[in-house]
Amino acid sequence: MSVEFSTEQRAFAQAVADFCKREAGTREKRDQLTDRGTHNHNQGLYEKMAELGWLGLTIPEAYGGSEATMVDMCILLEETARGMAPIGAIGPTLITGGAYERFGTSEQKDTVLRGIVRGASQSISMSEPEAGSDVGNLSTKAERTADGWVINGQKTWCSNAHISENILLVARTSRGESKHEGLTMFHVPADTAGLKISPIELMGGQKETNDLFFTDCVLPADAVVGEVGGGWRQLMTGLNFERLILSAMILGTAERAFADTLGFITQRKQFGRPIGTFQALRHRMADLATEIECTKLLVYSVAREADANPHKMLAREASMAKLKATETAKRVALEGMQMMGGYGYAAEFDMERHVRATLVSTIFGGTSEIQRDIIGKTFGL
């Protein structure tokens, strides 16, 4: 059993795979393209993808995009992740762009969506030190003035803000009976006065997420994205899109970790034979291959459902895809490291990168625990 793609979609997947191999097919190339980071910022690769029209795949034609399907988007994200293309900002960028597409003004769309098409990164900022999984608890305040808004507060875990042109901020404009009332989205250019972006050092020394400090940050009246007080509802309508993006990306990482493990255990010999021929490893690989195939079927099933019913909230299905993809990828990477032994832990090989990427995938975009809670609630539990 396998996912069915059209002839055009198979050709697209192959073109993306070939591009990744040609442009970023070795560890040395990837490190040169990112200075050992995760995103090719102002160094050519991302711009080449923009010129090919791939970054605008899901953007409406009116703003220079291709207006393609969710399935097409998943193909792009899966193949670039499997090919280890150093474009780590693409996920947050597409998630942010989706919100602007649904709720932005014509001027905001023109700025952000056209920016995505030409290769600019964008970010969305929700989390705060006391508001992670409990997003409704956020307290960064937006106060109305005669000319617009003044923002004060701290946000955290904002992916790629340090290389983004714009930040979609979720702040509190009022308080109601429910903590989910009174949240509003704002368009914030990254160079706005009063905004300080401070990178957070992560595992492996990576700096791809940030603290944001707003100190009397002044925004114009037309900075509101969507409706004042409608931020929570607007966030919820984008969950299908966000979770599919994350699922497709981490599916590609799982496939790459599996391929790297397979390549190693067929070459590495101990006790006079390739270690992959030992039953303990052969059975592990069989289990992992089965889990990856199940994950791929689920991810693309949800993508097709989203294409068929673009306005339907697929809370259960999207959460299942995110949960299954991230937990499977984490298992594949950790099993791969175990089977590779010390080499799996060595920076010389990519497995340690796969482990870092998959461990955090079960945390960002809604933890596995949150996904399970959402799924359970859809059954009335």
Side-chain angles (χ1 to χ4, degrees):
M1 183 182 298
S2 61
V3 179
E4 291 186 6
F5 296 119
S6 67
T7 301
E8 292 78 9
Q9 287 171 334
R10 288 195 296 272
F12 176 52
Q14 188 60 56
V16 176
D18 291 344
F19 175 89
C20 293
K21 184 175 182 180
R22 181 176 65 253
E23 300 290 338
T26 67
R27 181 72 172 265
E28 291 73 25
K29 281 186 177 181
R30 293 192 292 273
D31 285 345
Q32 289 171 4
L33 287 167
T34 63
D35 192 26
R36 302 186 69 83
T38 61
H39 185 76
N40 173 247
H41 182 59
N42 292 332
Q43 296 191 53
L45 179 75
Y46 204 54
E47 287 75 10
K48 286 182 181 179
M49 293 181 66
E51 291 169 4
L52 289 166
W54 293 349
L55 302 184
L57 198 66
T58 60
I59 303 298
E61 292 179 359
Y63 298 97
S66 304
E67 210 162 325
T69 67
M70 298 286 270
V71 170
D72 295 325
M73 178 196 71
C74 287
I75 291 172
L76 173 67
L77 296 174
E78 178 191 2
E79 291 298 334
T80 52
R82 177 159 51 187
M84 294 191 73
I87 54 169
I90 192 172
T93 294
L94 293 180
I95 291 168
T96 305
Y100 277 96
E101 180 184 338
R102 288 185 293 275
F103 305 108
T105 64
S106 296
E107 292 77 12
Q108 290 167 349
K109 290 178 183 179
D110 203 58
T111 297
V112 174
L113 300 186
R114 289 190 185 279
I116 292 172
V117 170
R118 65 174 163 76
S121 298
Q122 315 290 343
S123 292
I124 184 168
S125 181
M126 295 178 283
S127 295
E128 297 182 2
E130 298 299 324
S133 296
D134 184 12
V135 177
N137 194 45
L138 64 82
S139 60
T140 292
K141 186 181 295 185
E143 295 182 300
R144 198 189 294 267
T145 67
D147 300 320
W149 302 86
V150 175
I151 313 295
N152 281 285
Q154 178 185 352
K155 310 295 283 188
T156 192
W157 305 121
C158 184
S159 298
N160 304 298
H162 59 299
I163 58 171
S164 292
E165 284 193 348
N166 303 283
I167 297 162
L168 180 60
L169 169 69
V170 184
R172 182 166 295 285
T173 48
S174 65
R175 287 194 179 274
E177 293 183 7
S178 168
K179 63 184 177 183
H180 298 134
E181 297 176 17
L183 304 182
T184 303
M185 291 181 171
F186 292 91
H187 171 71
V188 185
D191 60 357
T192 300
L195 167 60
K196 179 183 177 182
I197 300 173
S198 180
I200 300 170
E201 185 168 338
L202 306 175
M203 183 184 291
Q206 301 299 315
K207 294 181 179 179
E208 59 196 60
T209 190
N210 307 268
D211 284 319
L212 307 183
F213 299 92
F214 293 87
T215 305
D216 295 330
C217 181
V218 177
L219 300 178
D222 62 1
V224 172
V225 179
E227 299 179 4
V228 174
W232 180 258
R233 177 186 57 81
Q234 291 170 201
L235 283 173
M236 293 302 100
T237 61
L239 290 182
N240 294 348
F241 190 64
E242 176 184 358
R243 288 171 185 161
L244 268 175
I245 287 172
L246 300 176
S247 299
M249 292 174 68
I250 208 65
L251 166 63
T253 301
E255 291 170 326
R256 179 57 180 261
F258 181 90
D260 287 353
T261 303
L262 183 62
F264 183 89
I265 66 175
T266 55
Q267 297 296 319
R268 171 72 168 167
K269 291 184 178 180
Q270 290 288 277
F271 305 104
R273 55 194 276 203
I275 61 175
T277 63
F278 289 98
Q279 186 184 68
L281 271 63
R282 189 166 64 241
H283 284 190
R284 280 186 183 181
M285 294 297 285
D287 287 343
L288 297 178
T290 302
E291 291 301 308
I292 291 172
E293 187 67 16
C294 290
T295 301
K296 185 164 185 171
L297 290 168
L298 176 59
V299 169
Y300 281 98
S301 173
V302 177
R304 287 201 165 93
E305 178 70 13
D307 283 330
N309 301 280
H311 302 296
K312 183 179 179 181
M313 287 287 290
L314 302 172
R316 178 188 300 173
E317 296 86 348
S319 287
M320 284 180 171
K322 203 272 181 180
L323 174 65
K324 180 66 175 176
T326 56
E327 290 292 341
T328 295
K330 180 172 72 172
R331 178 183 172 189
V332 173
L334 288 172
E335 292 271 24
M337 177 173 280
Q338 185 70 27
M339 285 186 269
M340 289 176 65
Y343 292 104
Y345 198 68
E348 176 186 355
F349 293 85
D350 288 319
M351 192 57 64
E352 59 88 19
R353 290 192 180 191
H354 300 328
V355 168
R356 284 190 277 115
T358 57
L359 285 177
V360 75
S361 75
T362 64
I363 299 171
F364 62 50
T367 65
S368 291
E369 291 75 15
I370 289 293
Q371 304 307 325
R372 291 185 177 102
D373 201 49
I374 292 169
I375 295 164
K377 286 179 179 179
T378 67
F379 289 103
L381 301 175

